[in-house]
Structures are given as C-alpha cells and as structure tokens.
Amino acid sequence: MPQIHTYPGHRKFVWFTPQRRNPTEYELYTVGQQSSPKQWLHVDWPIRFDDGREPYTEDSTALRATDWEGYRDPTRTWYRPYVVSQCQVERTLDRLVPAQLEDAGTTEMNPAWARQALGTYYMAWPFVEYGLFLGLCYAVGEALSDTVEFMLAFQAADRMRHVQDIVHLSFDLEDSVEGFADTQARQAWMEDPVLVPTRENVERIIAAHDWGEIVVAINLVFEPLVGELVKDRFFARNAVYNGDPATPTILGTVRDDRRRHREATSELMRFLFDDEKHGAANREIVQQWIDHWTPFSERAARSLRGLFEIEGITAQPFDSAWESVTKNHADLLAELGLRQPVLAGK
C-alpha cells in the first residue's frame, strides 16, 4: 500500500514519499497521476489494448527501475507554470521579431542568407522538430511513471512550439524581406544531400519501439550533435554577420528549452544508473544505444557542412563548429559516466 504522510500545521496528506522533507508543488501536482494495479488501482486495468496488452508494460523499454515513481524532474516543470512561462516567451517573440525584421528590412539582410539559409534550410527545420515531437509522443504514451511521462510531455510540447515559431517567422519574413520564400523547403527536406541524412536520422528515431531508446537517441545523441550544430553554431552565431537579428532571438528560447531537456534527461540517466539492482545493466544498455545512434547523427551533421558553405553568406568555418559540438557531446556523456564513440576522422 502507498505510504500516507501527514504534516503538522498543514491540512494535507500525500500518498508518496517526497524527495525532501516536505513535498514540492511540482510533486503534489505530478506524482500519483499515473495509476497501476501495483499501486492504488486495485480493480486491475479497466481497459486494455485490442490484443490484451496492458496500457503500461515493463517490456516497453529495455531499461529497468526498482521504482520508476522515484524519478524527479530536476527542473520541477508542471503544467500551470509551464504555460505561464511559455506564454510570456511567445508574447515577447510576437512583439520583438517583427520589430527586428522591420529594422533589418530589405537593405541590411544578406539576400543569400534570406533566400537560402532561411528560406530553404531553416524553413525545412520544422520537419525535424515535428519528427522528434512524434517520437516523444510515443515515449509519453509508454513511459512507466507519471514523473517521467510529464517530463517527456513538456519536451514534446516544446518541439511543437519550435515548429510554430519557425512557421511564424516565415510569415514575418514574407512581410519584411523582399524576395523571401519558403517554397523550396519541402523539396530540400526530401532531396537535398545537405538534409537527407538528417531526415533519415529522424525517420529512424520515429520508427524506434523502445521509448527509453527514443529519449536517448534524441537528447543524448541527435540534439547535442545535429541540433546544436544547426541551431547554435550555424543559424544563431552566423545570423548577425548576415543582417539577421530575429533568428538568434528565437533560437535563444530554443537553447533554454534544450538546457531543461538535457538536465531532465541526465537526471533520468543518473536515476537509472544508480539503481542498486538494475544500474549496471542500464548503463550498458544506454551505452549500446549511444554507440548505435551516434554514427547516424554524425553522418547527418557532417552533411550539414553545406550550410556553412552556402555561396554568398558569411559564416564561421564548419570544422571549428563541429569540433566544439563534438567536445560538448563528449563532456555531456562523460558527466554521466558514458563514452563517446570514436567519430570518423578522429
């Protein structure tokens, strides 16, 4: 039976063991939302899949935990403050981005940057974000505790926000920058050698069936190698050299989201690796996933060299950007006691 904790002076009780002396607001609104017959759902599962499978099963992932409910999101993200925070962010972008583009106008923004870097390649990036959104949605449906499920749900919501921010930017660019168009973006996503390996990488993630593997593939491999290279090292850093003040503003909010995702995922890994019964096996499984997914993301990242070599734009060299990205990736994995696979050319 779940433990009941009462707190003198407070008219409340909780059905779980809080991480600290008193439960946080995040815990009160998150823990206990996902029921199972092992806890307080004592009538067995009221619904099942058509094939008789239970809604949540241990074999949905190769990872194991003695108590999945023991995981806590270090960012303490729950619905109401998340909505308030992101509403403020989006309202700021609504006001700031059009004003920045109006100042840049047609005289300051590099036409090659507007036409190719933004119109073709950045406008193709919603396909990436939507693909990762789909992968995370599957993970949300399979995750084995409410605290893990909610953490992934907010990550999925962030991906959809990123899609919408880019689409909204395209409207603002059409109004402010003469000659801008995103009509080539879909074809580039499907056929351009610069983007095809990224598309294939995302499609492989969507096709994965282990929700834990999906989380690792996105947050510990794809995003540190491909996402950071494109969004931070290419668009955010080079936009200023090409008269584009708006894209770095949008990507600043994306960087904040990535930090939150990385913290939550790293804590999930530590939680699993520290499990007295399953920790060693979990670490081995995650390392195998890192080894499996890194070559796909490395191939995608190296193909993105073409972004840095678009004719007519000013951009920092690809090699220095890739070196920084791979170092950050190695540091991220080392913090978790994992190793970066040997990369091509190293």
Side-chain angles (χ1 to χ4, degrees), residues 240-254:
V240 65
Y241 304 134
N242 295 278
D244 173 11
T247 304
T249 301
I250 295 171
L251 290 174
T253 69
V254 174

Side-chain angles (χ1 to χ4, degrees), residues 288-309:
Q288 290 173 355
W289 287 339
I290 298 289
D291 294 343
H292 173 75
W293 287 100
T294 295
F296 298 120
S297 288
E298 181 185 4
R299 176 172 174 264
R302 289 187 181 278
S303 296
L304 292 164
R305 175 187 290 271
L307 294 180
F308 294 76
E309 298 175 350

Side-chain angles (χ1 to χ4, degrees), residues 179-193:
F180 170 85
D182 62 359
T183 54
Q184 298 300 312
R186 186 180 185 281
Q187 183 177 357
W189 175 243
M190 296 300 296
E191 301 176 2
D192 194 319

Side-chain angles (χ1 to χ4, degrees), residues 53-199:
R53 183 170 70 92
E54 298 176 350
Y56 301 101
T57 60
E58 291 290 331
D59 60 4
S60 61
T61 179
L63 301 171
R64 294 290 180 267
T66 303
D67 176 24
W68 281 103
E69 290 73 21
Y71 169 76
R72 297 291 184 271
D73 182 350
T75 67
R76 298 183 182 179
T77 303
W78 60 283
Y79 182 75
R80 182 176 293 176
Y82 173 83
V83 171
V84 171
S85 173
Q86 301 310 327
C87 181
Q88 293 172 344
V89 168
E90 296 304 322
R91 284 179 175 175
T92 300
L93 292 179
D94 279 346
R95 295 185 180 96
L96 192 56
V97 169
Q100 290 176 322
L101 288 175
E102 184 178 355
D103 290 340
T106 60
T107 58
E108 296 183 20
M109 187 177 293
N110 182 339
W113 177 266
R115 184 177 59 257
Q116 291 183 271
L118 295 180
T120 298
Y121 293 110
Y122 193 45
M123 293 305 127
W125 205 252
F127 293 110
V128 176
E129 300 291 356
Y130 184 70
L132 301 182
F133 164 79
L134 291 178
L136 288 166
C137 284
Y138 175 81
V140 169
E142 299 288 332
L144 294 173
S145 77
D146 37 35
T147 49
V148 178
E149 179 182 2
F150 277 54
M151 178 266 287
L152 296 176
F154 291 121
Q155 291 192 19
D158 287 334
R159 295 290 176 179
M160 186 54 68
R161 283 181 36 250
H162 300 165
V163 170
Q164 295 171 352
D165 286 343
I166 297 173
V167 174
H168 201 290
L169 175 63
S170 73
F171 298 151
D172 291 332
L173 287 167
E174 286 180 353
D175 292 338
S176 303
V177 179
E178 184 178 350
F180 170 85
D182 62 359
T183 54
Q184 298 300 312
R186 186 180 185 281
Q187 183 177 357
W189 175 243
M190 296 300 296
E191 301 176 2
D192 194 319
V194 173
L195 291 178
V196 166
T198 298
R199 174 172 59 79

Side-chain angles (χ1 to χ4, degrees), residues 205-223:
I205 291 173
I206 296 173
H209 294 290
D210 186 308
W211 68 264
E213 184 177 6
I214 290 172
V215 174
V216 170
I218 293 175
N219 290 332
L220 296 184
V221 183
F222 181 89
E223 192 60 34

